[in-house]
Amino acid sequence: KMLCLEGNIGLAAVRNTGVRHAAGKYVLTLDADDLIDPGFVGKAVHALENNPTFDVVVTPAAYFVDGTEPMMRTGKDAVDYAIFTGEAKVAGLLDNRFSTATAVFRASALRDFPYNEDLNCYEDWSLYMRMCEAGLRFIVTTDVFFHYRRRANSMVHKPRDSARMHAEYSDLLRTSAPTALRAGSSVLALGIASPFRGPVPHPEQ
């Protein structure tokens, strides 16, 4: 079923709309300009069917430059990789170590944790942080099944001034960071202070 929206309602709202209309047990999120290995969906569904205490399957990402074609099975031409390391909450707090927006979810998990439509960006980072905080469990593949197209004018890579980047990152932490850190820990203060000079604002301000 294809949904046609009247206007640009934002990435988070579009994904939430899709989830509300999804009829299956599982949901794959994938941006139109990125690529997945043809076998990823089957492997992910098989993993979730056989591991009922897990809710999400994520894969390391191989990046390729727009205008080139990735070698889907090998990734040898990738210009960069997103690799999962460390404990999820710690590794994903001050840097987005959760790869990209692409994953296979139980549909019930996305209904319980909708994308935050108040954020202008980082909505996927926010989702993973909130899921980790709530105790949802992730399966991480050892092979690379996702290929991210790197474009110079994409929303993530286009130039942004430091004030805007600070505001976007602060909104992410304020709305999505673990509860204990939002209460005023030094880790959160360090994270929101790093992009600019001056006094550290209280997380609730």
Side-chain angles (χ1 to χ4, degrees):
K1 180 180 180 181
M2 180 177 293
L3 300 177
C4 295
L5 304 177
E6 294 183 358
N8 184 354
I9 62 175
L11 290 175
V14 166
R15 290 181 182 137
N16 287 338
T17 300
V19 171
R20 285 195 296 270
H21 287 81
K25 290 175 58 179
Y26 304 103
V27 172
L28 167 72
T29 52
L30 179 68
D31 291 342
D33 57 347
D34 297 327
L35 302 172
I36 57 169
D37 186 281
F40 176 56
V41 173
K43 292 178 184 295
V45 169
H46 179 77
L48 292 174
E49 288 286 322
N50 286 279
N51 296 276
T53 61
F54 288 79
D55 298 281
V56 188
V57 177
V58 294
T59 168
Y63 294 78
F64 68 101
V65 177
D66 190 31
T68 65
E69 291 298 324
M71 298 174 65
M72 295 293 290
R73 293 291 180 180
T74 66
K76 290 181 179 179
D77 60 340
V79 296
D80 196 5
Y81 288 91
I83 303 297
F84 297 89
T85 58
E87 195 277 327
K89 288 183 183 178
V90 176
L93 179 61
L94 298 183
D95 191 17
N96 187 1
R97 305 305 301 169
F98 300 111
S99 184
T100 67
T102 296
V104 172
F105 300 84
R106 294 191 192 277
S108 57
L110 282 179
R111 294 190 179 100
D112 291 340
F113 294 87
Y115 290 94
N116 187 336
E117 297 182 17
D118 292 332
L119 296 176
N120 293 322
C121 63
Y122 301 141
E123 70 288 333
D124 53 321
W125 190 356
S126 163
L127 174 70
Y128 294 139
M129 289 176 70
R130 289 182 286 116
M131 285 183 166
C132 284
E133 170 74 352
L136 272 67
R137 303 180 71 190
F138 294 65
I139 296 173
V140 181
T141 67
T142 53
D143 292 331
V144 174
F145 293 103
F146 173 69
H147 296 259
Y148 180 90
R149 188 185 306 270
R150 180 167 285 174
R151 294 185 292 109
N153 63 343
S154 69
M155 186 176 74
V156 173
H157 293 103
K158 67 182 179 182
R160 291 177 290 172
D161 62 56
S162 60
R164 178 177 176 182
M165 292 180 66
H166 161 68
E168 292 170 345
Y169 184 53
S170 295
D171 280 346
L172 168 73
L173 293 181
R174 178 177 52 80
T175 60
S176 312
T179 305
L181 295 177
R182 291 203 304 272
S185 79
S186 60
V187 176
L188 180 57
L190 174 64
I192 63 176
S194 56
F196 70 107
R197 298 173 183 170
V200 177
H202 190 278
E204 299 300 322
Q205 293 179 345

